[in-house]
Amino acid sequence: MEYVLVFLIGTVITWVSLIIIIPIAQKLAEFSMPPWPETLWKLAVVAAAGNIISVALDPLHHLLSWAVGFVVFWALMVKWFDVDLFGAVIIVVVSWFLRLVLVGLFLGALGLALT
């Protein structure tokens, strides 16, 4: 049951973060992006495929699950969004920046809640 929850929560979080990250990275790296309805379901498939493989392989080895999930994620991104190496780097940098901002906001809110 815990694997199902990890998959569902991880997929939703990945999908929402991709909805934020991909348009920003697309403007910076100029890779192709389909119309929004198509983009939303394609990003959902990318998030679900990467997470289901990661969750399924996690009992075997954590690094193996991360590596295979990463390969599936990038294979789908390259196939559907024509992401090249520069686009991949931009997606990673924007993702790190977004995570940094979200962690800062979370820690700030936690600090306010504790005082």
Side-chain angles (χ1 to χ4, degrees):
M1 181 64 179
E2 77 182 64
Y3 293 115
V4 173
L5 288 176
V6 168
F7 165 71
L8 291 175
I9 292 169
T11 299
V12 170
I13 290 171
T14 303
W15 183 62
V16 170
S17 67
L18 284 173
I19 289 172
I20 296 167
I21 293 166
I22 295 300
I24 296 168
Q26 188 266 336
K27 295 290 185 194
L28 297 171
E30 298 180 2
F31 55 85
S32 66
M33 198 165 104
W36 270 107
E38 186 178 349
T39 297
L40 293 176
W41 75 261
K42 283 183 176 183
L43 290 177
V45 170
V46 169
N51 278 320
I52 199 163
I53 288 172
S54 292
V55 169
L57 293 177
D58 198 48
L60 296 175
H61 196 278
H62 179 68
L63 290 177
L64 175 68
S65 72
W66 179 85
V68 174
F70 179 77
V71 168
V72 168
F73 173 81
W74 283 116
L76 291 173
M77 289 298 293
V78 167
K79 180 179 178 176
W80 281 341
F81 294 96
D82 297 324
V83 177
D84 58 358
L85 180 62
F86 180 68
V89 169
I90 293 296
I91 290 172
V92 169
V93 169
V94 170
S95 174
W96 286 343
F97 182 74
L98 178 68
R99 287 181 185 160
L100 181 68
V101 168
L102 291 177
V103 166
L105 289 173
F106 176 74
L107 292 176
L110 184 62
L112 286 174
L114 294 176
T115 57

